[in-house]
Amino acid sequence: MTVFDQIRALASDLFAISPDKLSVSSSPETVDAWDSVQHLNLVLAVEEKFHLQLSPEEIEQMKTIGDIVKIVEGKLQTAPS
Amino acid sequence: MNSENKSLNLRADVDRLIANGAVQLASGCMAELWREEAGLSVAPFLVSRFEQLRGKVTLTPYRLAVLRSFTLEPAIPLVRAEAFVKGIDLSAQLGDFNAYAQDILDADSSLYRFSPDAVILAARTPELAPDLWNQFADLSPDAVSAAIQRVVNSFAQWIRIFRERSSAALILHSLELQPHPHNGILDAQRENGQAAAIHQINRELRRIAGEHRSVYILDYDGLMARHGRLRWNDQRKWLLARMPIAADNLLHLSREWLRFLVPLSGKTAKVAIVDLDNTLWCGIIGEDGMNGIKLGPEYPGAAYQNLQRALLDLTRRGILLAICSKNNPEDAMEALTHHPGMVLKPKDFAAMRINWGDKAQNLREIANELNLGTDSLAFIDDNPFEREQIRKVLPEVTIIDLPANPMEYASALRDCPVFERLALSSEDKQRTVMYAEQQERAQVEHTFENKEDFFRYLEQEAEVAPVSSATLARVAQLTQKTNQFNLTTRRYTEQQIQEMSGRSGWQVLSISVRDRFGDHGLVGVAIAHDQGESCEIDTFLLSCRVIGRTVESALLSQLAEHASSKGCKRLLGWFFPTKKNAPARDFYPQHGFELTEQSPEGSLWSFDLTKQQIAAPKWVRVTKPAAV
């Protein structure tokens, strides 16, 4: 599973919508269930799933699914293991 | 990657099984998924799938409201998933951010409209006592006392008002200590330091909670300390989202909540069934012998002594112990009786099955012998294969998954919410003794040709009395956990019982039974209310300990007598069938009641008080308390 697939699966569980309704450009503007509470839930689920900590600056930049994928991929590459 | 695949497979299995209608297997799979990777990312998946199983598997509905002073939204799917896995269909409502006081004080708030079964008040020291938390070093002793008093008074008011408006159980988080006291090491030298001030608030909280029914303290500071005070909070999430608790600790918090919700919703285990080899001691008695097994104060025997100590502690809470072990009985009994390292003694066990037979069958026999359902059993075995077998054959049994490291056995047991009790009655403390008496009774019973002769020999004495402050806790406890001889299976809190007993026209009676072998204690409850010419039985239940001893007839006769004396012409009672209450099914027809209504939920029975009487059995001497 790619990072995108995994993040899409998390978002799909959280927002209770089918994964094929989510794309890299999905955002709180395009997904009804994606409110501030669900945004926090998504951040926490991503941190748990990929065993990483996101900084407030990174969380600030996460406007779309694609943004989240990019940031997570960047952190996974620099991570020691 | 392996665990990733396992998780994906389990998820696919769950959806496939649900689609095929194999709901039991699906819920087993969901429980496995939760064991594998309980956490924030899997919780929403589990909650949504459990919601699809509603009505198809047995789940106990329960309503929880959480009032809070900080962000707790992510904990809600966790506590719901954790509850679902334990058989509780938990509906949860979260109060508005930092609006806990308004929620309690406003009689019209969403809190009361939600009509919760339990309410958690999660407020933290920084919000409740910002002066004690932030500026302690600046405060004079008088200012400290004033701050303590202010917080305590607020709690006293909130609890009092909450109790006037709701009979739900109330669970209060205790206040947390500063990890770094603001006066440094001086704080520990002073009687009125920062830590002492918080401790004093917590002490007062316990006192106030004790003055009310069904108000409990959750030791939040103790929970933090157990998981490491410095690792409990996450400053970044606090600044980002006003969520102080680190994300991976939210699971610990929701599990702490479950320690209250499990006993509140009646999902407790009544018997802990233990294996012997490599569970109660290190080694295999049949191979290693008395001198070969390790059990004592040194490594590795100490780990097993710790587990035994934890098991012994359970008996003090009224939980029975039993043994289920594949062994030669002589070898096992030799170790149980004579090994110097044994903390537990044979008399601590209410039942034993030491043989080479199938463990599931042995568990069924133990449940039978103790007159309990198999869902009252918890199974403790070091062997994952045996655990898996029981899980498959008897999914209703609670399986304690002992960790790989024996040093962690005792804490795994102490962590388990099915052994939690909210209050202890004198019955609980004496339960093991009572079961020993029960075994004597059973042996004697065989020597009698007919039941009546045995009943006469028993010399049973039953005291029927209205509920009092001394018996309130036990009466509520019986409504919460009696499953078999229970005609309506209505669960009540102490608070609700107290309210009912105070209502005009309502009767809450208890029955205590004693015989020549010993005291059964308070074993039955009947609740009834007059409605003009009819008296309706709201609740009628009997502890499994005395089923088949005819004392239920004595209790019913008292109820009928009372209804007659109030001028009622009919005694009415519903029977609501459940999976477990077959023993109570024929109770009304056996006592001359006639069926008057049949609905999908149950049957309504009626007894004409003007034409007949219900007599107490001749061999039960019924007494009433001295002054009523």
Side-chain angles (χ1 to χ4, degrees), chain B residues 348-470:
Chain B
D348 294 314
F349 297 95
M352 294 187 192
R353 287 294 180 280
I354 303 169
N355 53 46
W356 297 95
D358 173 51
K359 287 212 172 185
Q361 182 52 31
N362 280 321
L363 258 55
R364 283 196 200 96
E365 285 182 25
I366 290 172
N368 250 334
E369 181 178 332
L370 300 176
N371 225 340
L372 293 166
T374 41
D375 62 342
S376 296
L377 308 181
F379 181 65
I380 301 156
D381 196 310
D382 66 296
N383 185 338
F385 171 79
E386 298 284 6
R387 299 202 295 258
E388 222 27 61
Q389 283 298 106
I390 299 297
R391 205 168 256 140
K392 281 210 186 81
V393 182
L394 299 171
E396 68 277 19
V397 171
T398 301
I399 310 288
I400 313 292
D401 277 299
L402 288 181
N405 179 0
M407 305 295 268
E408 295 164 13
Y409 281 4
S411 28
L413 188 78
R414 291 188 193 278
D415 261 344
C416 196
V418 296
F419 298 129
E420 293 295 351
R421 297 294 186 266
L422 295 156
L424 281 192
S425 58
S426 53
E427 279 79 6
D428 291 325
K429 290 174 215 156
Q430 296 168 24
R431 186 152 298 130
T432 303
V433 175
M434 287 180 177
Y435 271 87
E437 291 165 2
Q438 194 76 348
Q439 283 172 344
E440 267 187 81
R441 277 183 200 100
Q443 278 166 11
V444 171
E445 187 169 358
H446 287 304
T447 66
F448 283 88
E449 294 270 317
N450 71 57
K451 282 244 164 194
E452 291 198 7
D453 289 345
F454 173 60
F455 290 150
R456 285 201 183 84
Y457 173 78
L458 276 180
E459 295 172 0
Q460 296 186 96
E461 245 184 66
E463 182 184 283
V464 178
V467 68
S468 68
S469 57

Side-chain angles (χ1 to χ4, degrees), chain A:
Chain A
M1 264 183 130
T2 65
V3 171
F4 169 71
D5 287 335
Q6 295 185 61
I7 289 173
R8 184 168 66 166
L10 292 175
S12 143
D13 281 344
L14 275 171
F15 307 154
I17 56 174
S18 150
D20 33 285
K21 295 236 170 77
L22 291 167
S23 69
V24 281
S25 60
S26 296
S27 73
E29 277 70 45
T30 66
V31 180
D32 284 344
W34 192 338
D35 58 12
S36 61
V37 168
Q38 290 296 10
H39 191 72
L40 175 62
N41 281 333
L42 183 60
V43 166
L44 299 179
V46 165
E47 288 186 336
E48 180 188 275
K49 188 87 193 169
F50 296 98
H51 308 288
L52 46 81
Q53 286 277 340
L54 296 161
S55 71
E57 292 80 3
E58 287 163 332
I59 293 167
E60 183 68 16
Q61 291 162 25
M62 294 176 163
K63 308 275 194 218
T64 64
I65 297 263
D67 295 340
I68 302 176
V69 172
K70 207 158 63 191
I71 288 166
V72 169
E73 281 176 342
K75 289 188 82 99
L76 289 176
Q77 270 164 20
T78 56
S81 60

Side-chain angles (χ1 to χ4, degrees), chain B residues 553-597:
Chain B
S553 303
L555 181 57
L556 186 66
S557 79
Q558 290 298 304
L559 210 55
E561 201 175 285
H562 179 81
S564 285
S565 75
K566 283 278 157 80
C568 292
K569 296 187 172 152
R570 268 187 317 266
L571 194 56
L572 296 174
W574 280 96
F575 172 68
F576 298 126
T578 66
K579 272 193 174 165
K580 314 265 219 27
N581 69 354
R585 191 180 49 213
D586 298 325
F587 179 63
Y588 286 137
Q590 276 167 359
H591 288 83
F593 283 61
E594 282 170 8
L595 182 65
T596 56
E597 195 180 323

